[in-house]
Amino acid sequence: MRILVTGAAGFIGAAVAERLCVRGDEVLGIDSVNDYYQVSLKRDRVAHVEGSAGGRFAFKQVDFADWSALSAALEGESFDRIVHVGAQAGVRYSLENPRAYVEANLMGHLNLLEVARARGSSHMVYASSSSVYGGNEKLPFAVEDRVDHPVSLYAATKRADELMSETYAHLYGIPLTGLRFFTVYGPWGRPDMAAWLFTEAILKGEPIKVFNQGEMWRDFTYIDDIVAGVLACVDNPPADDGAPKAGGSTKVHALYNIGNHRSEKLTRVIELIEDACGRKAEVQLLPMQPGDVARTYADIDAIQRDLGYQPTTRIEDGIPKFVAWYREYHGV
Ligand SMILES: NC(=O)c1ccc[n+]([C@@H]2O[C@H](COP(=O)([O-])OP(=O)(O)OC[C@H]3O[C@@H](n4cnc5c(N)ncnc54)[C@H](O)[C@@H]3O)[C@@H](O)[C@H]2O)c1
């Protein structure tokens, strides 16, 4: 198959593109390579994928929120499926620059739905987020739970993507699978996320900030487990049989959580990073940040039942792998 992967210079997009190429698919990767975090890391990811793809990876730099630029970039290109994981990510930045989220996540998502419609795409898998669960108190979070109370604009745009997708599945019968990722970490990770920020600060001997006075829990999911879940979805479009899908749609639209199904206290994760770095952290306990949630925990029954998904990397194994990659990449 030839697969269009958006956000291919990003953490998850690059990892998905690499795995698809390694298993023998061809990938057309697109990304605007924006400077939300260091562009050099994004370029290095693209070079890394090119290095292991055996000539099966092509890359184009384009802003998918710009319809005419996107149409021009895709002209003459063919692909069978779409993995749309490009987006403006990050909860905290959505308080600073809300417009970036509306452009990339609303206009961008609509544009990818339109590409899928115009091309008669046989399936688009797209990224949602655990943040759609907002401050829900029922744990673990299940795809059947109500998600009408987002606490950040980032979450609101991700929920809006799910709703737009439902409409496109209804109106045009486009098979769609939305994935609510839970705190992804691992090699080639994101510099604005906890695992990276903590590792960086500990190695530099700088203090780390822990919000909500340390009362924070996250369902941490190792990148290889995320990639395995994405590929299982790519290969299994929801059936057009009118039966209710995961998440409740009776259209060709399924929603899954991809998490590790373990909620780790952040202070425990800091201990693992300290062990891997061989140094102690200087922890600054701070109040809860606006837009943030105290706890995430994924119910993964739906994706286990439908696709046999099973995460295999415990945080005790994944954190040392991340820290080892971080040290090698930075030579520290
Ligand atoms: N990493 C996580 O823990 C996590 C958790 C929940 C959801 N997600 C979602 O998963 C997806 C991938 O996240 P990630 O961690 O790889 O983030 P990332 O920021 O590393 O990757 C996203 C990529 O999309 C690109 N992009 C943004 N706007 C674009 C545009 N208008 N046109 C073209 N490219 C554009 C960026 O340049 C970036 O390379 C996102 O949709 C994110 O919201 C991630």
Side-chain angles (χ1 to χ4, degrees):
M1 282 195 293
R2 188 158 197 254
I3 298 168
L4 174 68
V5 176
T6 75
F11 174 30
I12 297 173
V16 168
E18 181 187 13
R19 187 104 292 277
L20 285 169
C21 292
V22 166
R23 79 171 191 181
D25 289 311
E26 282 188 28
V27 170
L28 170 61
I30 61 169
D31 199 299
S32 60
V33 196
N34 69 32
D35 62 0
Y36 167 59
Y37 58 79
Q38 46 274 44
V39 165
S40 55
L41 174 64
K42 295 185 180 183
R43 299 226 180 272
D44 288 348
R45 289 194 191 112
V46 171
H48 174 75
V49 178
E50 278 165 348
S52 49
R56 288 185 287 278
F57 180 64
F59 181 79
K60 289 189 179 180
Q61 184 167 347
V62 62
D63 177 354
F64 56 58
D66 177 342
W67 177 247
S68 53
L70 179 64
S71 305
L74 298 183
E75 203 177 315
E77 299 283 359
S78 62
F79 39 87
D80 311 289
R81 294 189 181 179
I82 302 172
V83 177
H84 175 39
V85 289
Q88 179 56 56
V91 167
R92 287 168 197 163
Y93 185 60
S94 67
L95 280 82
E96 266 173 58
N97 188 359
R99 285 181 181 79
Y101 291 75
V102 169
E103 275 180 35
N105 301 1
L106 299 186
M107 191 54 83
H109 191 74
L110 175 71
N111 284 347
L112 265 300
L113 287 170
E114 279 293 304
V115 167
R117 179 162 84 102
R119 302 297 187 107
S121 172
S122 63
H123 189 199
M124 178 164 102
V125 176
Y126 67 92
S128 182
S129 166
S130 61
S131 63
V132 300
Y133 293 106
N136 280 11
E137 287 180 356
K138 175 191 153 288
L139 293 162
F141 299 152
V143 282
E144 295 77 26
D145 297 346
R146 288 195 68 169
V147 282
D148 303 319
H149 303 284
V151 299
S152 68
L153 189 79
Y154 168 66
T157 61
K158 287 292 175 180
R159 180 61 183 143
D161 290 346
E162 295 180 351
L163 296 173
M164 284 195 261
S165 301
E166 177 67 12
T167 310
Y168 269 62
H170 169 68
L171 289 176
Y172 309 116
I174 302 166
L176 295 162
T177 301
L179 299 177
R180 295 174 179 169
F181 297 136
F182 283 68
T183 312
V184 189
Y185 74 103
W188 298 102
R190 247 176 52 206
D192 61 332
M193 294 186 69
W196 182 300
L197 291 170
F198 293 167
T199 303
E200 182 177 46
I202 291 171
L203 289 173
K204 286 184 177 164
E206 292 172 355
I208 62 174
K209 294 177 184 161
V210 182
F211 297 98
N212 203 27
Q213 310 300 337
E215 295 302 306
M216 296 285 263
W217 286 259
R218 287 289 179 275
D219 197 323
F220 279 86
T221 321
Y222 192 67
I223 183 67
D224 292 1
D225 288 323
I226 290 286
V227 170
V230 172
L231 265 59
C233 291
V234 168
D235 294 338
N236 292 283
D240 189 5
D241 56 6
K245 304 292 176 286
S249 176
T250 52
K251 312 296 181 320
V252 277
H253 183 206
L255 284 172
Y256 294 113
N257 289 333
I258 305 192
N260 199 39
H261 190 51
R262 274 185 52 169
S263 199
E264 313 283 352
K265 195 167 185 187
L266 222 51
T267 43
R268 164 78 183 131
V269 176
I270 293 167
E271 285 170 10
L272 292 171
I273 298 176
E274 289 176 329
D275 290 348
C277 292
R279 291 189 206 173
K280 283 283 168 204
E282 186 192 324
V283 178
Q284 271 182 359
L285 296 176
L286 296 167
M288 188 70 167
Q289 294 214 113
D292 223 343
V293 300
R295 192 187 278 260
T296 69
Y297 180 18
D299 178 331
I300 55 172
D301 281 359
I303 192 164
Q304 279 178 323
R305 178 194 65 223
D306 291 356
L307 303 171
Y309 170 77
Q310 192 57 48
T312 58
T313 310
R314 301 175 322 142
I315 191 100
E316 290 79 7
D317 302 318
I319 287 288
K321 285 189 192 177
F322 167 70
V323 172
W325 170 84
Y326 180 97
R327 300 188 81 154
E328 193 191 332
Y329 181 71
H330 293 92
V332 290

